[in-house]
Amino acid sequence: MRFLNITHRDREVHFMSEIIFLHLKGLEELNHRPSTIEARRKHLARFCAWIHCNDIEHIDHDLIMKYLDRHKVSANYRASEINHLKKFFAWAYDEDHIKENPAARLKRPIRRRGLPRPIGTIDLKRALEASEGEMKAWLFLAAFAGLRACEIAQLSGEDIDRERKLLIIREQKGGSSGSVPMNQALEPILEAYPKTGWLFKKKCGNHIEAAYVSKRANLFLHDLDIDDTFHSLRHWFGTNCYRNSKDLRATQEAMRHTSP
């Protein structure tokens, strides 16, 4: 029998705020990545703020569609919004918080595969020459190791294997670990950082966030009248890996992609 109504402290739970709390707690218990949990929290918070409804039983398919159609976004972003909503409401239905799943009929748009967007070599050189401190380290790590902002943010001294000349990525996209050879250009840059603990820290001592790296680096590039984004340095890394090797498999390994 569905909807047992004894889901939280032996009482019915209808409030979105409580159900979202239980959902996120469940993701933590299942060992989902912190970045995945934070993305789910932000998407659900935006959804709740827009619908002005805290009773999950009052949310139907039409209301969700109005939310999704509230502004024009890319197919990829819409697919991401739908993915988070579908997973949340499917979980809520399975846990007997709702009698019907209002997100069951949502259709994800087809994600178009984009082309590489490498920064121009001249612009990259200009950015590297103008940078200093942490910004220089971030730019070098993106351009000469292909690291993503989330990987740079969580890099520690223990992840720099100076003997084998490797950068260890403890948690890359998808949650797995990986490694990338340390380019000679990185060695003098990383030598200035400690051999233990986070390389890039907040005042509280914890590592910085990926969004902080992306935002600051993008502003730095744009202040130099460079239209590219920070992620385009990773594309420059991958493009040059293939250009120099003509080996797609080797490029895949260097980029740490699961598929060529």
Side-chain angles (χ1 to χ4, degrees), residues 197-217:
W198 303 117
L199 296 194
F200 312 113
K201 296 184 291 187
K202 300 178 182 178
K203 290 182 179 179
C204 65
N206 198 5
H207 67 76
I208 57 178
E209 304 296 334
Y212 176 76
V213 176
S214 292
K215 184 176 181 180
R216 273 196 59 198

Side-chain angles (χ1 to χ4, degrees), residues 117-127 139 214-233 235:
R117 308 181 308 276
I119 187 173
T121 299
I122 293 175
D123 282 338
L124 174 60
K125 183 179 179 181
R126 190 156 56 90
L139 297 180
S214 292
K215 184 176 181 180
R216 273 196 59 198
N218 286 338
L219 287 173
F220 176 80
L221 293 172
H222 296 161
D223 284 344
L224 294 174
D225 292 326
I226 297 173
D227 293 332
D228 299 281
T229 65
F230 181 58
H231 196 70
S232 67
L233 276 69
H235 286 207

Side-chain angles (χ1 to χ4, degrees), residues 152-167:
I152 291 172
Q154 299 184 58
L155 200 63
S156 71
E158 292 86 350
D159 298 332
I160 304 171
D161 190 331
R162 291 174 171 83
E163 184 177 340
R164 293 188 297 166
K165 297 192 182 303
L166 285 175
L167 288 177

Side-chain angles (χ1 to χ4, degrees), residues 104-118:
R105 292 187 288 120
L106 295 180
K107 303 296 183 184
R108 298 183 186 91
I110 297 174
R111 293 175 182 249
R112 302 294 182 187
R113 185 178 297 278
L115 294 173
R117 308 181 308 276

Side-chain angles (χ1 to χ4, degrees), residues 22-24 28 35 49 72 114 124 128 144 153 156 165 172 175-177 182 190 201 215 218 229 233 236 246 258:
L22 293 174
H23 176 59
L24 298 178
E28 288 182 358
S35 57
K72 188 175 180 61
L124 174 60
L128 294 175
F144 294 102
S156 71
K165 297 192 182 303
Q172 56 190 16
S176 62
S177 59
M182 188 159 58
L190 296 178
K201 296 184 291 187
K215 184 176 181 180
N218 286 338
T229 65
L233 276 69
W236 183 90
K246 297 295 188 293
T258 56

Side-chain angles (χ1 to χ4, degrees), residues 247-258:
D247 187 332
L248 186 60
R249 175 63 177 167
T251 302
Q252 176 198 342
E253 289 293 324
M255 295 291 285
R256 293 165 287 111
H257 282 161
T258 56

Side-chain angles (χ1 to χ4, degrees), residues 2-207:
R2 297 203 60 78
F3 206 61
L4 301 178
N5 296 332
I6 53 171
T7 55
H8 186 45
R9 298 180 182 177
D10 296 328
R11 64 179 175 83
E12 293 184 19
V13 176
H14 293 293
F15 291 132
M16 282 287 288
S17 54
E18 288 185 274
I19 295 173
I20 290 172
F21 172 81
L22 293 174
H23 176 59
L24 298 178
K25 184 179 179 183
L27 294 180
E28 288 182 358
E29 292 170 351
L30 292 174
N31 202 32
H32 282 258
R33 298 173 66 205
S35 57
T36 299
I37 298 172
E38 179 62 12
R40 184 70 49 81
R41 184 194 68 77
K42 287 181 177 178
H43 275 279
L44 293 176
R46 279 194 292 267
F47 176 69
C48 290
W50 190 88
I51 63 173
H52 301 295
C53 176
N54 198 32
D55 191 332
I56 196 170
E57 285 295 330
H58 294 163
I59 299 172
D60 58 18
H61 176 82
D62 290 340
L63 183 58
I64 294 177
M65 287 303 301
K66 288 179 181 177
Y67 169 75
L68 293 171
D69 293 335
R70 71 196 185 282
H71 58 187
K72 188 175 180 61
V73 296
S74 68
N76 283 358
Y77 187 82
R78 186 179 178 93
S80 179
E81 284 192 318
I82 290 174
N83 182 60
H84 283 289
L85 291 171
K86 283 181 74 73
K87 288 187 175 180
F88 168 71
F89 282 106
W91 170 87
Y93 177 75
D94 289 340
E95 293 294 317
D96 299 316
H97 292 298
I98 48 178
K99 298 175 184 177
E100 296 182 3
N101 181 354
R105 292 187 288 120
L106 295 180
K107 303 296 183 184
R108 298 183 186 91
I110 297 174
R111 293 175 182 249
R112 302 294 182 187
R113 185 178 297 278
L115 294 173
R117 308 181 308 276
I119 187 173
T121 299
I122 293 175
D123 282 338
L124 174 60
K125 183 179 179 181
R126 190 156 56 90
L128 294 175
E129 290 175 348
S131 63
E132 57 184 19
E134 286 188 345
M135 184 61 65
K136 181 179 285 290
W138 299 349
L139 297 180
F140 268 83
L141 285 165
F144 294 102
L147 266 62
R148 303 173 176 93
C150 60
E151 296 162 349
I152 291 172
Q154 299 184 58
L155 200 63
S156 71
E158 292 86 350
D159 298 332
I160 304 171
D161 190 331
R162 291 174 171 83
E163 184 177 340
R164 293 188 297 166
K165 297 192 182 303
L166 285 175
L167 288 177
I168 309 301
I169 315 301
R170 302 294 174 184
E171 187 177 345
Q172 56 190 16
K173 188 176 181 180
S176 62
S177 59
S179 64
V180 61
M182 188 159 58
N183 189 293
Q184 287 184 346
L186 280 169
E187 293 185 37
I189 300 294
L190 296 178
E191 196 60 40
Y193 288 89
K195 293 180 171 57
T196 59
W198 303 117
L199 296 194
F200 312 113
K201 296 184 291 187
K202 300 178 182 178
K203 290 182 179 179
C204 65
N206 198 5
H207 67 76

